[in-house]
Coordinates of all heavy atoms in Angstrom, one line a residue:
M1 N 0.6 2.2 15.1 CA 0.9 1.2 14.0 C -0.3 1.1 13.0 O -0.1 1.0 11.8 CB 1.3 -0.1 14.6 CG 1.7 -1.2 13.6 SD 3.1 -0.7 12.7 CE 3.4 -2.1 11.7
A2 N -1.5 1.1 13.6 CA -2.7 0.9 12.7 C -2.8 2.1 11.7 O -3.2 1.9 10.6 CB -3.9 0.7 13.6
W3 N -2.5 3.3 12.2 CA -2.6 4.4 11.3 C -1.5 4.4 10.2 O -1.8 4.8 9.1 CB -2.5 5.7 12.1 CG -3.8 6.1 12.7 CD1 -4.1 6.2 14.0 CD2 -5.0 6.4 12.0 NE1 -5.4 6.5 14.2 CE2 -6.0 6.7 13.0 CE3 -5.4 6.5 10.7 CZ2 -7.3 7.0 12.7 CZ3 -6.7 6.8 10.4 CH2 -7.7 7.1 11.4
L4 N -0.4 3.8 10.5 CA 0.6 3.6 9.5 C 0.1 2.7 8.4 O 0.4 2.9 7.2 CB 1.9 3.1 10.1 CG 3.1 2.8 9.1 CD1 3.5 4.1 8.4 CD2 4.2 2.2 9.8
L5 N -0.6 1.6 8.8 CA -1.2 0.7 7.8 C -2.2 1.4 6.9 O -2.2 1.2 5.7 CB -1.8 -0.5 8.5 CG -0.9 -1.4 9.3 CD1 -1.8 -2.5 10.0 CD2 0.1 -2.1 8.4
V6 N -3.0 2.3 7.5 CA -4.0 3.1 6.7 C -3.3 4.0 5.7 O -3.7 4.0 4.5 CB -4.9 3.9 7.6 CG1 -5.8 4.8 6.8 CG2 -5.7 3.0 8.5
V7 N -2.2 4.6 6.1 CA -1.4 5.5 5.2 C -0.8 4.7 4.1 O -1.0 5.1 2.9 CB -0.4 6.3 6.0 CG1 0.6 7.0 5.0 CG2 -1.0 7.3 7.0
V8 N -0.2 3.6 4.4 CA 0.4 2.8 3.3 C -0.7 2.2 2.4 O -0.6 2.2 1.2 CB 1.3 1.7 3.9 CG1 1.7 0.7 2.8 CG2 2.4 2.2 4.7
A9 N -1.8 1.8 3.0 CA -3.0 1.3 2.2 C -3.5 2.4 1.3 O -3.8 2.2 0.1 CB -4.1 0.8 3.1
G10 N -3.5 3.7 1.8 CA -4.0 4.8 0.9 C -3.0 5.1 -0.2 O -3.4 5.4 -1.3
L11 N -1.7 4.9 0.0 CA -0.7 5.1 -1.0 C -0.9 4.0 -2.1 O -0.8 4.2 -3.3 CB 0.7 5.1 -0.5 CG 1.0 6.3 0.4 CD1 2.4 6.2 1.1 CD2 0.9 7.6 -0.3
L12 N -1.1 2.8 -1.6 CA -1.4 1.7 -2.5 C -2.7 1.9 -3.3 O -2.8 1.5 -4.5 CB -1.4 0.3 -1.8 CG -0.1 -0.1 -1.2 CD1 -0.3 -1.4 -0.3 CD2 0.9 -0.4 -2.3
E13 N -3.7 2.6 -2.7 CA -4.9 2.9 -3.4 C -4.6 3.8 -4.6 O -5.1 3.7 -5.7 CB -5.9 3.5 -2.5 CG -7.2 3.8 -3.2 CD -8.2 4.6 -2.4 OE1 -7.9 5.0 -1.3 OE2 -9.3 4.9 -3.0
T14 N -3.7 4.8 -4.4 CA -3.2 5.6 -5.5 C -2.6 4.8 -6.6 O -2.9 5.0 -7.8 CB -2.2 6.6 -5.0 OG1 -2.8 7.5 -4.0 CG2 -1.6 7.5 -6.1
G15 N -1.8 3.8 -6.2 CA -1.2 2.9 -7.2 C -2.2 2.1 -8.0 O -2.2 2.0 -9.2
F16 N -3.3 1.6 -7.3 CA -4.2 0.8 -8.1 C -5.1 1.7 -8.9 O -5.5 1.3 -10.0 CB -5.0 -0.2 -7.2 CG -6.2 0.2 -6.4 CD1 -7.4 0.6 -7.0 CD2 -6.2 0.1 -5.0 CE1 -8.5 0.9 -6.3 CE2 -7.3 0.4 -4.3 CZ -8.4 0.8 -4.9
A17 N -5.4 2.9 -8.5 CA -6.2 3.8 -9.4 C -5.4 4.2 -10.6 O -6.0 4.2 -11.7 CB -6.6 5.0 -8.6
V18 N -4.1 4.5 -10.5 CA -3.3 4.8 -11.6 C -3.2 3.6 -12.6 O -3.3 3.7 -13.8 CB -1.9 5.4 -11.2 CG1 -1.0 5.5 -12.4 CG2 -2.1 6.7 -10.5
C19 N -2.9 2.5 -12.0 CA -2.8 1.3 -12.8 C -4.1 0.9 -13.5 O -4.1 0.4 -14.7 CB -2.3 0.1 -12.0 SG -0.6 0.3 -11.6
L20 N -5.2 1.2 -12.9 CA -6.5 1.0 -13.5 C -6.6 1.8 -14.8 O -7.0 1.3 -15.9 CB -7.6 1.3 -12.6 CG -9.1 1.0 -13.0 CD1 -9.2 -0.5 -13.2 CD2 -10.0 1.5 -11.9
K21 N -6.2 3.0 -14.8 CA -6.2 3.9 -16.0 C -5.2 3.3 -17.0 O -5.6 3.2 -18.2 CB -5.8 5.3 -15.7 CG -5.7 6.2 -16.9 CD -5.6 7.6 -16.6 CE -5.4 8.5 -17.9 NZ -6.5 8.4 -18.8
L22 N -4.0 3.0 -16.6 CA -3.0 2.5 -17.5 C -3.3 1.1 -18.1 O -2.8 0.8 -19.2 CB -1.6 2.4 -16.8 CG -1.1 3.8 -16.3 CD1 0.2 3.5 -15.5 CD2 -0.9 4.8 -17.4
S23 N -4.2 0.4 -17.5 CA -4.6 -0.9 -18.0 C -5.5 -0.8 -19.2 O -5.7 -1.8 -19.9 CB -5.3 -1.8 -16.9 OG -6.6 -1.3 -16.7
H24 N -6.1 0.3 -19.5 CA -7.0 0.5 -20.6 C -8.1 -0.5 -20.6 O -8.2 -1.3 -21.6 CB -6.2 0.6 -21.9 CG -5.4 1.8 -22.1 ND1 -5.8 3.0 -22.6 CD2 -4.1 2.0 -21.7 CE1 -4.9 3.9 -22.5 NE2 -3.8 3.4 -22.0
G25 N -8.8 -0.6 -19.5 CA -9.9 -1.6 -19.4 C -9.5 -3.0 -19.3 O -10.1 -3.9 -19.9
F26 N -8.4 -3.2 -18.6 CA -7.8 -4.5 -18.4 C -7.3 -5.2 -19.7 O -7.3 -6.4 -19.9 CB -8.7 -5.5 -17.6 CG -9.1 -4.9 -16.3 CD1 -10.4 -4.8 -15.9 CD2 -8.1 -4.6 -15.3 CE1 -10.8 -4.3 -14.7 CE2 -8.5 -4.2 -14.1 CZ -9.8 -4.0 -13.8
T27 N -6.9 -4.4 -20.7 CA -6.4 -4.9 -22.0 C -4.9 -4.9 -22.0 O -4.4 -5.5 -23.0 CB -7.0 -4.1 -23.2 OG1 -6.5 -2.7 -23.1 CG2 -8.5 -4.1 -23.2
R28 N -4.2 -4.3 -21.1 CA -2.8 -4.4 -21.0 C -2.3 -5.2 -19.8 O -2.8 -4.9 -18.7 CB -2.2 -2.9 -20.9 CG -2.5 -2.2 -22.2 CD -1.8 -0.8 -22.2 NE -2.0 -0.1 -23.4 CZ -1.8 1.1 -23.6 NH1 -1.4 1.9 -22.6 NH2 -2.0 1.7 -24.8
L29 N -1.5 -6.2 -20.0 CA -1.2 -7.2 -19.0 C -0.5 -6.6 -17.8 O -1.0 -6.8 -16.7 CB -0.3 -8.3 -19.6 CG 0.1 -9.4 -18.6 CD1 -1.1 -10.1 -18.1 CD2 1.1 -10.3 -19.3
W30 N 0.6 -5.9 -17.9 CA 1.4 -5.5 -16.7 C 0.7 -4.5 -15.9 O 0.7 -4.6 -14.6 CB 2.8 -5.1 -17.1 CG 3.6 -6.3 -17.6 CD1 4.0 -6.5 -18.9 CD2 3.9 -7.4 -16.9 NE1 4.6 -7.7 -19.0 CE2 4.6 -8.3 -17.7 CE3 3.7 -7.8 -15.5 CZ2 5.1 -9.6 -17.3 CZ3 4.2 -9.1 -15.1 CH2 4.9 -9.9 -16.0
P31 N 0.0 -3.5 -16.5 CA -0.8 -2.6 -15.6 C -1.9 -3.3 -14.9 O -2.3 -3.0 -13.8 CB -1.3 -1.5 -16.6 CG -0.3 -1.5 -17.7 CD 0.1 -3.0 -17.8
T32 N -2.5 -4.3 -15.6 CA -3.6 -5.1 -14.9 C -3.1 -5.9 -13.8 O -3.7 -5.9 -12.7 CB -4.2 -6.0 -16.0 OG1 -4.8 -5.2 -17.0 CG2 -5.3 -6.8 -15.3
I33 N -1.9 -6.5 -13.9 CA -1.3 -7.3 -12.8 C -0.9 -6.3 -11.7 O -1.2 -6.6 -10.5 CB -0.1 -8.0 -13.3 CG1 -0.5 -9.2 -14.2 CG2 0.8 -8.6 -12.2 CD1 0.6 -9.9 -15.0
A34 N -0.3 -5.2 -12.0 CA 0.0 -4.2 -11.0 C -1.2 -3.7 -10.3 O -1.2 -3.5 -9.0 CB 0.8 -3.0 -11.6
F35 N -2.3 -3.4 -11.0 CA -3.6 -3.0 -10.4 C -4.0 -4.1 -9.4 O -4.4 -3.7 -8.2 CB -4.7 -2.9 -11.5 CG -6.1 -2.9 -10.9 CD1 -6.6 -1.8 -10.2 CD2 -6.8 -4.1 -10.9 CE1 -7.9 -1.9 -9.7 CE2 -8.1 -4.2 -10.4 CZ -8.6 -3.1 -9.7
A36 N -4.0 -5.3 -9.7 CA -4.4 -6.4 -8.8 C -3.5 -6.4 -7.6 O -4.0 -6.6 -6.4 CB -4.4 -7.7 -9.5
A37 N -2.2 -6.3 -7.8 CA -1.3 -6.4 -6.6 C -1.5 -5.2 -5.7 O -1.6 -5.3 -4.5 CB 0.1 -6.4 -7.1
F38 N -1.6 -4.0 -6.3 CA -1.9 -2.8 -5.4 C -3.2 -2.9 -4.7 O -3.3 -2.5 -3.5 CB -1.8 -1.5 -6.3 CG -0.5 -1.0 -6.6 CD1 -0.1 -0.8 -7.9 CD2 0.5 -0.7 -5.6 CE1 1.2 -0.3 -8.3 CE2 1.8 -0.3 -6.0 CZ 2.1 -0.1 -7.3
A39 N -4.2 -3.3 -5.4 CA -5.6 -3.4 -4.8 C -5.6 -4.4 -3.7 O -6.1 -4.1 -2.6 CB -6.6 -3.8 -5.9
L40 N -5.0 -5.6 -3.9 CA -5.0 -6.6 -2.8 C -4.2 -6.1 -1.6 O -4.6 -6.2 -0.5 CB -4.4 -7.9 -3.3 CG -5.3 -8.7 -4.2 CD1 -4.5 -9.9 -4.8 CD2 -6.5 -9.2 -3.5
G41 N -3.0 -5.4 -1.9 CA -2.3 -4.9 -0.8 C -3.0 -3.8 0.0 O -3.0 -3.7 1.2
S42 N -3.7 -2.9 -0.8 CA -4.4 -1.8 -0.2 C -5.5 -2.3 0.7 O -5.7 -1.9 1.9 CB -4.9 -0.9 -1.2 OG -5.6 0.2 -0.7
F43 N -6.4 -3.2 0.1 CA -7.5 -3.7 0.9 C -7.0 -4.6 2.1 O -7.6 -4.5 3.2 CB -8.5 -4.5 0.0 CG -9.3 -3.6 -0.9 CD1 -9.1 -3.6 -2.2 CD2 -10.2 -2.8 -0.3 CE1 -9.9 -2.8 -3.1 CE2 -11.0 -2.0 -1.2 CZ -10.8 -2.0 -2.5
G44 N -6.0 -5.3 1.9 CA -5.4 -6.1 2.9 C -4.9 -5.3 4.1 O -5.2 -5.6 5.3
L45 N -4.2 -4.3 3.8 CA -3.7 -3.4 4.9 C -4.8 -2.7 5.6 O -4.8 -2.5 6.8 CB -2.6 -2.4 4.4 CG -1.3 -3.1 4.0 CD1 -0.4 -2.0 3.4 CD2 -0.6 -3.8 5.1
L46 N -5.8 -2.2 4.8 CA -6.9 -1.5 5.5 C -7.7 -2.5 6.4 O -8.1 -2.1 7.5 CB -7.9 -1.0 4.4 CG -9.1 -0.2 4.9 CD1 -8.7 1.0 5.7 CD2 -10.0 0.1 3.8
T47 N -7.8 -3.7 5.9 CA -8.5 -4.7 6.8 C -7.8 -5.0 8.1 O -8.4 -5.0 9.1 CB -8.6 -6.1 6.0 OG1 -9.4 -5.8 4.8 CG2 -9.2 -7.2 6.8
L48 N -6.4 -5.0 8.0 CA -5.7 -5.2 9.3 C -5.8 -4.0 10.2 O -5.9 -4.1 11.4 CB -4.2 -5.4 8.9 CG -3.8 -6.7 8.2 CD1 -2.4 -6.8 7.8 CD2 -4.2 -7.9 9.1
A49 N -5.8 -2.8 9.6 CA -5.9 -1.6 10.4 C -7.3 -1.5 11.1 O -7.4 -1.0 12.2 CB -5.6 -0.3 9.5
L50 N -8.3 -2.0 10.4 CA -9.7 -1.9 10.9 C -9.9 -2.7 12.2 O -10.9 -2.6 12.9 CB -10.7 -2.1 9.9 CG -10.9 -1.1 8.8 CD1 -11.8 -1.5 7.7 CD2 -11.3 0.3 9.4
R51 N -8.9 -3.6 12.4 CA -9.0 -4.4 13.7 C -8.8 -3.5 14.9 O -9.3 -3.8 16.0 CB -7.9 -5.5 13.7 CG -8.1 -6.6 12.7 CD -7.0 -7.6 12.8 NE -7.2 -8.7 11.8 CZ -6.3 -9.6 11.6 NH1 -5.1 -9.6 12.3 NH2 -6.5 -10.6 10.7
R52 N -8.1 -2.4 14.7 CA -7.8 -1.5 15.9 C -8.4 -0.1 15.8 O -8.4 0.6 16.7 CB -6.3 -1.4 16.0 CG -5.6 -2.7 16.0 CD -4.6 -3.0 17.1 NE -4.5 -2.0 18.1 CZ -4.5 -2.3 19.4 NH1 -4.8 -3.5 19.8 NH2 -4.3 -1.3 20.3
L53 N -8.9 0.3 14.6 CA -9.4 1.6 14.4 C -10.9 1.6 14.1 O -11.5 0.6 13.6 CB -8.7 2.3 13.2 CG -7.2 2.4 13.3 CD1 -6.6 2.9 12.0 CD2 -6.8 3.3 14.4
D54 N -11.5 2.8 14.4 CA -12.9 3.0 14.1 C -13.0 3.0 12.5 O -12.2 3.6 11.9 CB -13.5 4.3 14.7 CG -13.6 4.2 16.2 OD1 -13.7 3.1 16.7 OD2 -13.6 5.3 16.8
V55 N -14.1 2.5 12.0 CA -14.2 2.4 10.5 C -14.4 3.7 9.8 O -13.8 3.9 8.8 CB -15.3 1.4 10.1 CG1 -16.7 2.0 10.5 CG2 -15.2 1.0 8.7
G56 N -15.1 4.6 10.4 CA -15.4 5.9 9.8 C -14.1 6.7 9.5 O -13.8 7.0 8.3
P57 N -13.4 7.1 10.5 CA -12.1 7.9 10.3 C -11.1 7.1 9.4 O -10.5 7.7 8.6 CB -11.6 8.2 11.7 CG -12.8 8.0 12.6 CD -13.7 7.0 11.9
A58 N -10.9 5.8 9.7 CA -9.9 5.0 9.0 C -10.3 5.0 7.5 O -9.4 5.2 6.6 CB -9.8 3.6 9.5
Y59 N -11.5 4.7 7.2 CA -12.0 4.6 5.7 C -11.8 6.0 5.1 O -11.4 6.1 3.9 CB -13.4 4.1 5.6 CG -13.9 4.0 4.2 CD1 -13.5 2.9 3.4 CD2 -14.7 4.9 3.7 CE1 -13.9 2.8 2.1 CE2 -15.1 4.8 2.3 CZ -14.7 3.7 1.6 OH -15.1 3.6 0.3
A60 N -12.2 7.0 5.8 CA -12.1 8.4 5.2 C -10.7 8.8 4.9 O -10.4 9.4 3.9 CB -12.8 9.4 6.1
V61 N -9.8 8.4 5.8 CA -8.4 8.7 5.6 C -7.8 7.9 4.5 O -7.1 8.5 3.6 CB -7.6 8.5 6.9 CG1 -6.1 8.5 6.7 CG2 -7.9 9.5 8.0
W62 N -8.1 6.7 4.4 CA -7.7 5.8 3.3 C -8.2 6.4 1.9 O -7.4 6.5 1.0 CB -8.2 4.4 3.5 CG -8.0 3.4 2.4 CD1 -6.8 2.8 2.1 CD2 -9.0 2.9 1.6 NE1 -7.0 1.9 1.1 CE2 -8.3 1.9 0.7 CE3 -10.4 3.1 1.4 CZ2 -9.0 1.2 -0.3 CZ3 -11.0 2.3 0.4 CH2 -10.3 1.4 -0.4
T63 N -9.4 6.7 1.9 CA -10.0 7.2 0.6 C -9.4 8.6 0.3 O -9.1 8.9 -0.9 CB -11.5 7.4 0.8 OG1 -12.1 6.1 1.1 CG2 -12.2 7.9 -0.5
G64 N -9.2 9.4 1.3 CA -8.7 10.8 1.1 C -7.2 10.7 0.5 O -6.9 11.4 -0.4
I65 N -6.4 9.8 1.1 CA -5.0 9.7 0.7 C -5.1 9.2 -0.8 O -4.3 9.7 -1.6 CB -4.3 8.7 1.6 CG1 -4.0 9.4 2.9 CG2 -2.9 8.3 0.9 CD1 -3.5 8.5 4.0
G66 N -5.9 8.2 -1.1 CA -6.0 7.7 -2.4 C -6.5 8.7 -3.4 O -5.9 8.8 -4.5
A67 N -7.5 9.5 -3.1 CA -8.0 10.5 -4.0 C -7.0 11.6 -4.2 O -6.7 12.0 -5.4 CB -9.3 11.1 -3.4
A68 N -6.4 12.1 -3.1 CA -5.4 13.2 -3.3 C -4.2 12.7 -4.0 O -3.7 13.4 -4.9 CB -5.1 13.8 -1.9
G69 N -3.7 11.5 -3.7 CA -2.5 11.0 -4.3 C -2.8 10.8 -5.8 O -1.9 11.0 -6.6
T70 N -3.9 10.2 -6.1 CA -4.2 10.0 -7.5 C -4.3 11.3 -8.3 O -3.8 11.4 -9.5 CB -5.5 9.2 -7.7 OG1 -5.4 8.0 -6.9 CG2 -5.9 8.9 -9.1
A71 N -5.0 12.3 -7.8 CA -5.1 13.6 -8.4 C -3.7 14.2 -8.6 O -3.4 14.7 -9.7 CB -6.0 14.5 -7.6
I72 N -2.9 14.2 -7.6 CA -1.5 14.7 -7.7 C -0.7 14.0 -8.8 O 0.0 14.6 -9.6 CB -0.8 14.7 -6.4 CG1 -1.5 15.7 -5.4 CG2 0.7 15.0 -6.5 CD1 -1.1 15.6 -4.0
Y73 N -0.7 12.6 -8.7 CA 0.0 11.8 -9.7 C -0.5 12.1 -11.1 O 0.4 12.3 -12.0 CB -0.2 10.3 -9.4 CG 0.7 9.4 -10.3 CD1 1.9 9.0 -9.8 CD2 0.3 9.0 -11.5 CE1 2.7 8.2 -10.6 CE2 1.1 8.2 -12.3 CZ 2.3 7.8 -11.8 OH 3.1 7.0 -12.6
G74 N -1.8 12.3 -11.3 CA -2.3 12.6 -12.6 C -1.8 13.9 -13.1 O -1.5 14.0 -14.3
M75 N -1.7 14.9 -12.3 CA -1.3 16.2 -12.7 C 0.2 16.2 -13.0 O 0.7 16.8 -14.0 CB -1.6 17.3 -11.6 CG -3.1 17.6 -11.5 SD -3.4 19.0 -10.4 CE -3.0 18.3 -8.8
V76 N 1.0 15.5 -12.2 CA 2.4 15.5 -12.3 C 2.9 14.6 -13.5 O 3.8 15.0 -14.3 CB 3.1 15.1 -11.0 CG1 4.6 14.9 -11.2 CG2 2.8 16.1 -9.9
F77 N 2.3 13.4 -13.6 CA 2.9 12.4 -14.5 C 2.0 12.1 -15.7 O 2.5 11.5 -16.7 CB 3.2 11.1 -13.8 CG 4.2 11.3 -12.7 CD1 3.9 11.2 -11.4 CD2 5.6 11.4 -13.1 CE1 4.9 11.4 -10.4 CE2 6.5 11.6 -12.1 CZ 6.2 11.6 -10.8
L78 N 0.7 12.4 -15.7 CA -0.2 11.9 -16.7 C -0.8 13.1 -17.5 O -1.7 12.9 -18.4 CB -1.4 11.1 -16.1 CG -0.9 9.8 -15.4 CD1 -2.1 9.1 -14.8 CD2 -0.2 8.9 -16.3
G79 N -0.4 14.3 -17.3 CA -0.8 15.4 -18.0 C -2.2 15.9 -17.7 O -2.8 16.6 -18.5
D80 N -2.7 15.6 -16.5 CA -4.1 16.1 -16.1 C -4.0 17.6 -16.0 O -2.9 18.1 -15.6 CB -4.5 15.5 -14.8 CG -4.9 14.0 -14.9 OD1 -4.8 13.4 -16.0 OD2 -5.2 13.4 -13.9
V81 N -5.1 18.3 -16.2 CA -5.1 19.7 -16.1 C -4.8 20.2 -14.7 O -5.3 19.6 -13.7 CB -6.5 20.2 -16.5 CG1 -6.6 21.7 -16.3 CG2 -6.8 19.9 -18.0
V82 N -4.0 21.2 -14.5 CA -3.7 21.8 -13.2 C -4.3 23.1 -13.1 O -4.3 23.9 -14.1 CB -2.1 22.0 -13.1 CG1 -1.8 22.6 -11.7 CG2 -1.4 20.6 -13.2
S83 N -5.1 23.3 -12.0 CA -5.7 24.6 -11.8 C -5.6 25.0 -10.4 O -5.4 24.1 -9.5 CB -7.2 24.5 -12.3 OG -7.9 23.7 -11.4
T84 N -5.8 26.2 -10.1 CA -5.8 26.7 -8.7 C -6.9 26.0 -7.9 O -6.6 25.6 -6.8 CB -6.0 28.3 -8.7 OG1 -4.9 28.8 -9.5 CG2 -5.9 28.8 -7.3
L85 N -8.1 25.9 -8.5 CA -9.2 25.3 -7.8 C -8.8 23.8 -7.4 O -9.1 23.4 -6.3 CB -10.5 25.4 -8.6 CG -11.7 24.8 -7.9 CD1 -12.0 25.4 -6.5 CD2 -12.9 24.9 -8.8
K86 N -8.2 23.1 -8.3 CA -7.9 21.7 -8.1 C -6.8 21.6 -7.0 O -6.9 20.8 -6.1 CB -7.3 21.1 -9.4 CG -7.2 19.6 -9.3 CD -6.7 19.0 -10.6 CE -7.8 18.8 -11.6 NZ -7.4 18.0 -12.8
I87 N -5.8 22.5 -7.0 CA -4.8 22.5 -5.9 C -5.4 22.9 -4.6 O -5.1 22.2 -3.6 CB -3.7 23.6 -6.3 CG1 -3.0 23.2 -7.6 CG2 -2.7 23.7 -5.1 CD1 -2.2 21.9 -7.6
V88 N -6.3 23.9 -4.5 CA -7.0 24.2 -3.3 C -7.8 23.0 -2.8 O -7.8 22.7 -1.6 CB -7.8 25.5 -3.4 CG1 -8.7 25.7 -2.2 CG2 -6.9 26.7 -3.7
S89 N -8.5 22.4 -3.7 CA -9.4 21.3 -3.3 C -8.6 20.1 -2.8 O -9.0 19.5 -1.8 CB -10.2 20.8 -4.5 OG -11.1 21.9 -4.9
I90 N -7.5 19.8 -3.4 CA -6.6 18.7 -2.9 C -6.1 19.1 -1.5 O -6.0 18.2 -0.6 CB -5.5 18.4 -3.9 CG1 -6.0 17.8 -5.2 CG2 -4.4 17.5 -3.3 CD1 -5.0 17.7 -6.3
T91 N -5.7 20.3 -1.3 CA -5.2 20.8 0.0 C -6.3 20.6 1.0 O -6.0 20.1 2.1 CB -4.8 22.3 -0.1 OG1 -3.7 22.4 -1.1 CG2 -4.3 22.7 1.2
L92 N -7.5 20.9 0.7 CA -8.6 20.7 1.6 C -8.8 19.3 2.0 O -9.1 18.9 3.1 CB -9.9 21.4 1.1 CG -9.9 22.9 1.0 CD1 -11.2 23.4 0.3 CD2 -9.9 23.5 2.4
V93 N -8.7 18.4 1.0 CA -8.8 17.0 1.2 C -7.7 16.5 2.2 O -8.0 15.8 3.2 CB -8.7 16.1 -0.1 CG1 -8.6 14.7 0.2 CG2 -10.0 16.4 -0.9
I94 N -6.5 17.0 2.0 CA -5.4 16.6 2.9 C -5.6 17.1 4.3 O -5.4 16.4 5.3 CB -4.1 17.1 2.3 CG1 -3.7 16.3 1.0 CG2 -2.9 16.9 3.3 CD1 -2.6 16.9 0.2
V95 N -6.1 18.4 4.4 CA -6.4 18.9 5.7 C -7.5 18.1 6.4 O -7.4 17.7 7.6 CB -6.8 20.4 5.6 CG1 -7.4 20.9 7.0 CG2 -5.6 21.2 5.2
G96 N -8.5 17.7 5.6 CA -9.6 16.8 6.2 C -9.0 15.5 6.6 O -9.4 14.9 7.7
V97 N -8.1 14.9 5.8 CA -7.5 13.6 6.2 C -6.8 13.7 7.5 O -6.9 12.9 8.4 CB -6.6 13.1 5.1 CG1 -5.7 12.0 5.5 CG2 -7.4 12.6 3.9
V98 N -6.0 14.8 7.7 CA -5.3 15.0 8.9 C -6.2 15.1 10.1 O -6.1 14.5 11.2 CB -4.3 16.2 8.8 CG1 -3.7 16.5 10.2 CG2 -3.2 15.9 7.8
G99 N -7.3 15.9 9.9 CA -8.3 16.1 10.9 C -9.0 14.8 11.3 O -9.1 14.5 12.5
L100 N -9.3 14.0 10.3 CA -10.0 12.7 10.6 C -9.0 11.8 11.3 O -9.4 11.1 12.3 CB -10.5 12.1 9.4 CG -11.8 12.7 8.8 CD1 -12.0 12.3 7.4 CD2 -12.9 12.4 9.7
Q101 N -7.7 11.8 10.9 CA -6.8 10.9 11.6 C -6.6 11.3 13.0 O -6.5 10.5 13.9 CB -5.4 11.0 10.9 CG -4.4 10.0 11.3 CD -3.6 10.4 12.5 OE1 -3.4 11.5 12.8 NE2 -3.2 9.4 13.2
L102 N -6.6 12.6 13.3 CA -6.4 13.1 14.7 C -7.7 12.8 15.5 O -7.6 12.6 16.7 CB -6.1 14.6 14.7 CG -4.8 15.0 14.1 CD1 -4.7 16.5 14.0 CD2 -3.6 14.4 14.9
S103 N -8.8 12.7 14.9 CA -10.1 12.5 15.6 C -10.3 11.0 15.8 O -11.1 10.6 16.6 CB -11.3 13.1 14.8 OG -11.6 12.3 13.7
G104 N -9.7 10.2 15.0 CA -9.9 8.7 15.1 C -9.3 8.1 16.3 O -8.1 8.4 16.6
S105 N -10.0 7.3 17.0 CA -9.4 6.6 18.2 C -9.1 5.2 17.8 O -9.8 4.5 17.1 CB -10.5 6.6 19.3 OG -11.6 5.9 18.9
A106 N -8.0 4.7 18.4 CA -7.6 3.3 18.3 C -8.1 2.6 19.5 O -8.2 3.1 20.6 CB -6.1 3.2 18.3
R107 N -8.6 1.4 19.3 CA -9.1 0.6 20.4 C -8.0 -0.2 21.1 O -7.0 -0.6 20.6 CB -10.1 -0.4 19.8 CG -11.4 0.3 19.5 CD -12.4 -0.7 19.0 NE -12.9 -0.1 17.8 CZ -13.2 -0.8 16.7 NH1 -13.0 -2.1 16.6 NH2 -13.7 -0.2 15.7

């Protein structure tokens, strides 16, 4: 259950990173509100998960999901440049996230 919280928190991290861009420096109301909601949800779920998981693997998985998810979202929906190197790098991040999740122990 704790790893599920980390995964959902990582997806929410993707949401807050995207909303941060869409807020244009907190000058647009709804993306700013969405940023705050996603950020609070992400940090809240990560905090709950850390009660049962080691901090290193859990934090790395959370960050990796957020980073890969944000990069993918940017390429698909925001017109970010797509390149072979970027796709390979995202794949490596995902492989690393899976490896860290498998190596992380729950208490």
Side-chain angles (χ1 to χ4, degrees):
M1 181 64 176
W3 280 114
L4 178 62
L5 294 176
V6 172
V7 169
V8 174
L11 295 172
L12 292 174
E13 182 187 3
T14 297
F16 82 67
V18 170
C19 288
L20 186 60
K21 175 171 178 59
L22 297 176
S23 76
H24 291 272
F26 300 125
T27 61
R28 294 185 175 164
L29 179 63
W30 292 112
T32 299
I33 290 170
F35 161 79
F38 281 125
L40 287 172
S42 181
F43 287 113
L45 291 177
L46 180 63
T47 299
L48 293 174
L50 288 176
R51 292 179 179 174
R52 310 233 1 129
L53 300 173
D54 292 337
V55 69
Y59 181 77
V61 168
W62 174 73
T63 303
I65 291 170
T70 302
I72 292 167
Y73 187 94
M75 288 186 293
V76 173
F77 297 107
L78 301 177
D80 290 358
V81 175
V82 179
S83 69
T84 302
L85 181 57
K86 192 178 278 190
I87 299 294
V88 169
S89 298
I90 292 169
T91 302
L92 290 171
V93 168
I94 293 169
V95 169
V97 164
V98 170
L100 284 166
Q101 191 276 335
L102 294 174
S103 75
S105 62
R107 286 182 229 139

